[in-house]
């Protein structure tokens, strides 16, 4: 199952990862990305 390869991240870990992934994005683009990133995993 695909679920096995993606360990469940805590909200804080998710936030950290999304922040790193959002590097280079600014303003609304970053906001939209963070919202998407945090809700998708």
């Amino acid at each position: 199952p695909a679920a096995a390869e993606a360990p469940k991240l805590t909200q804080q870990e998710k936030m950290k990862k999304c922040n790193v992934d959002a590097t280079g994005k600014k303003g609304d683009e970053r906001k939209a990305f963070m919202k998407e990133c945090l809700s998708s995993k």
Side-chain angles (χ1 to χ4, degrees):
E5 57 193 72
K8 203 82 170 104
L9 296 178
T10 65
Q11 196 62 30
Q12 206 173 2
E13 289 170 325
K14 217 187 285 187
M15 200 75 168
K16 220 181 289 182
K17 182 183 189 309
C18 290
N19 262 319
V20 171
D21 290 347
T23 301
K25 297 185 187 344
K26 292 199 171 52
D28 289 343
E29 189 193 0
R30 183 187 173 96
K31 237 182 290 178
F33 177 85
M34 288 298 286
K35 184 178 176 207
E36 186 64 38
C37 184
L38 288 170
S39 65
S40 67
K41 299 199 176 70

